[in-house]
Amino acid sequence: MDSNQFRYLTSKEASQILLQLSEIPFDALRLSQQACLKKCTVEERRVLIEQLQLRKRAVNKFSRSSEMLFLPSALEMASGERISRYKAKRLPAGRVLDLCCGLGGDSLFNKAEKIFGVDLDWNSLQAFRHNHLLYGNRVEAVQGDVTRICNATRSVKQIDIVLIDPSRRAFQNTKARKWTWDELSPGPLEIQKLLREYPNLVIKLGPGLEIPPWLWNSEIEYIGQDDQCLQAVVWSGKLGEASLVRATELKGNGKTQEEHSIFASREEIQSISLPQSEPLEYIYEPVKCVIRSHLIGPLAKALKLCQLDSQVAFLSGAWCQHPLLKAYRVLEHFPWNMAQIHASLKQREIGILEIKKRALAWEPDEIRKKLKLKGRHSATLIGTRVADQPWAILAERIQTEKI
């Protein structure tokens, strides 16, 4: 989308048309029957339709998506409302500099005196301005290359907090699923310069990115939502606790959202050695942000749980209920054997089977094809390792949120 097309989207005419069309369920929308579109050019219709599609995609990210402006790639990268509100609660009031601001998701809910958004892309800045004004924020949009730190920030003074979401624009059209520091812009050298210039820096990173030693003195938080680890956030300076690793899981929706955290120092994480055991009465699987943060040890120690194997995330022990754990009651377990698995499922009349596996060569689809399930009951098959041996655990999932 070029700047003229996006400029049309910000016009009063386009805003009124989008408002009228947003009142009609998207699936029931018949564009050819809409009188408000008859005076639009073909290009204007295309831009309006694309924006409606983006707003529909953004419904699960933003409660006011029907009024916001989006760009396809920027929407994919933007922090959703639930995570953004949580991070804003951790920040003091002040003047905020939002680098690589995109649509403004990271700073949308900050208690800020004023928010300065910096981005190289003109369209992103217009969306940033529109979205922030929609939420009643005082903003200023600055077009600049964040990789040239001095040029990008020289017009912005007296900053209290800096947010940065390093861009991955060069790789938007690839299918790469794991980023490296060399693929980020700004990269490590520029971010280190920012840390020297602005000690209170919040860096948003992909959860799979390895944290380099030069960031270990900052607090690193892995944020999950509905059992998906979505971000690794670096809280530097006075914004975090030095050398702390934290995992936070967000549950519920924006109105009734719950936040559950566990944290430990990097040294404590490395020093914990958990006892190992064959499966006991219950199996526990930590949510993904706990696994990614390597906080399994501190969590298991606090709850007096053991590991099945030092290389897998499954824990076992007596009954306990914890918001960072998914629980399964063990029905039976034995060394991995397809014939025995089949016999157990047949005996229990298991026709619906959830399959989970860690550190096991078999893939769930392969297992399912071999089992030929029949029956009226359901269960969970956990394929993993116990003391470095392939193991099968037949269990039933416990819906702890209903207890």
Side-chain angles (χ1 to χ4, degrees):
M1 186 186 301
D2 62 34
S3 58
N4 288 330
Q5 293 169 336
F6 202 84
R7 188 175 283 110
Y8 168 71
L9 272 180
T10 62
S11 69
K12 185 176 180 180
E13 175 192 346
S15 298
Q16 290 175 340
I17 293 173
L18 286 170
L19 182 61
Q20 292 180 50
L21 296 179
S22 67
E23 295 174 353
I24 305 170
F26 189 83
D27 295 336
L29 189 61
R30 299 291 182 268
L31 296 173
S32 60
Q33 300 173 9
Q34 303 306 316
C36 60
L37 289 173
K38 290 185 177 178
K39 294 183 179 181
C40 297
T41 66
V42 172
E43 193 59 35
E44 287 170 347
R45 288 189 183 194
R46 188 190 68 77
V47 171
L48 289 167
I49 292 166
E50 180 186 59
Q51 194 59 211
L52 285 172
Q53 292 171 329
L54 291 172
R55 287 179 171 185
K56 181 185 178 184
R57 281 171 49 193
V59 165
N60 292 330
K61 274 197 167 185
F62 297 99
S63 60
R64 299 183 68 178
S65 63
S66 63
E67 304 167 80
M68 297 172 69
L69 288 181
F70 301 105
L71 295 163
S73 56
L75 174 58
E76 198 70 28
M77 293 172 59
S79 294
E81 181 170 330
R82 291 167 62 186
I83 289 182
S84 184
R85 284 187 183 277
Y86 165 72
K87 292 195 293 186
K89 286 167 61 176
R90 291 200 53 172
L91 295 172
R95 291 163 66 87
V96 175
L97 177 61
D98 188 351
L99 300 176
C100 301
C101 62
L103 303 174
D106 283 306
S107 54
L108 204 55
F109 303 99
N110 284 18
K111 306 177 288 292
E113 296 172 14
K114 190 171 183 179
I115 300 169
F116 299 85
V118 179
D119 204 290
L120 187 60
D121 182 64
W122 185 90
N123 288 348
S124 293
L125 288 173
Q126 303 317 302
F128 169 87
R129 190 200 308 272
H130 172 92
N131 295 336
H132 271 277
L133 292 176
L134 178 66
Y135 280 85
N137 297 328
R138 293 184 61 230
V139 296
E140 182 177 328
V142 181
Q143 189 169 17
D145 185 350
V146 175
T147 62
R148 302 173 67 184
I149 300 300
C150 293
N151 290 340
T153 62
R154 64 186 175 185
S155 62
V156 181
K157 305 297 182 185
Q158 298 177 338
I159 289 298
D160 301 299
I161 301 162
V162 177
L163 314 176
I164 185 165
D165 178 6
S167 171
R168 298 171 286 279
R169 293 182 184 130
F171 295 84
Q172 281 175 358
N173 296 322
T174 72
K175 294 182 180 180
R177 299 182 67 183
K178 188 172 182 179
W179 301 99
T180 68
W181 280 90
D182 293 336
E183 296 166 352
L184 301 184
S185 178
L189 293 179
E190 290 89 353
I191 291 177
Q192 288 178 70
K193 289 179 184 177
L194 276 173
L195 279 167
R196 290 192 291 270
E197 187 170 352
Y198 300 104
N200 295 329
L201 181 65
V202 182
I203 310 169
K204 170 187 164 185
L205 300 170
L209 201 64
E210 292 299 323
I211 304 299
W214 51 271
L215 284 174
W216 287 357
N217 286 333
S218 299
E219 178 182 328
I220 313 297
E221 181 175 23
Y222 292 85
I223 303 177
Q225 179 178 300
D226 302 324
D227 198 22
Q228 292 295 320
C229 188
L230 299 178
Q231 295 182 15
V233 180
V234 180
W235 304 91
S236 69
K238 296 179 180 179
L239 303 178
E241 188 170 334
S243 301
L244 194 77
V245 180
R246 185 188 305 268
T248 299
E249 177 74 5
L250 308 179
K251 294 188 176 185
N253 56 39
K255 294 181 180 179
T256 60
Q257 180 164 287
E258 298 177 355
E259 301 149 7
H260 304 281
S261 295
I262 184 171
F263 52 86
S265 67
R266 191 171 294 275
E267 293 75 14
E268 183 183 354
I269 293 171
Q270 295 171 346
S271 67
I272 290 177
S273 179
L274 295 175
Q276 295 183 30
S277 168
E278 287 191 4
L280 301 173
E281 189 176 359
Y282 293 92
I283 295 292
Y284 299 97
E285 183 181 20
V287 294
K288 291 182 178 62
C289 64
V290 172
I291 295 173
R292 183 64 193 93
S293 63
H294 303 292
L295 283 163
I296 298 171
L299 181 60
K301 182 180 178 181
L303 298 173
K304 299 181 180 179
L305 300 175
C306 61
Q307 274 186 302
L308 303 180
D309 185 280
S310 62
Q311 301 302 310
V312 298
F314 289 120
L315 303 171
S316 190
W319 169 249
C320 67
Q321 184 177 350
H322 195 282
L324 298 178
L325 293 175
K326 293 168 285 184
Y328 304 84
R329 185 173 70 86
V330 176
L331 301 175
E332 59 180 304
H333 65 91
F334 41 82
W336 185 267
N337 181 291
M338 286 299 298
Q340 189 171 353
I341 293 170
H342 184 272
S344 294
L345 294 173
K346 184 177 180 181
Q347 181 183 4
R348 294 176 181 273
E349 298 183 33
I350 304 298
I352 302 172
L353 188 67
E354 175 189 30
I355 301 176
K356 304 182 73 67
K357 70 112 180 178
R358 288 186 181 276
L360 191 73
W362 287 88
E363 291 298 327
D365 287 344
E366 295 178 62
I367 298 170
R368 197 177 300 278
K369 286 178 182 179
K370 290 179 175 291
L371 291 175
K372 300 178 182 178
L373 300 168
K374 290 182 181 180
R376 56 193 177 91
H377 299 303
S378 61
T380 298
L381 174 64
I382 299 173
T384 187
R385 305 186 78 81
V386 173
D388 203 31
Q389 297 298 313
W391 214 265
I393 306 167
L394 193 60
E396 61 179 359
R397 181 190 280 266
I398 299 174
Q399 302 295 335
T400 53
E401 64 272 14
K402 296 180 182 180
I403 295 177

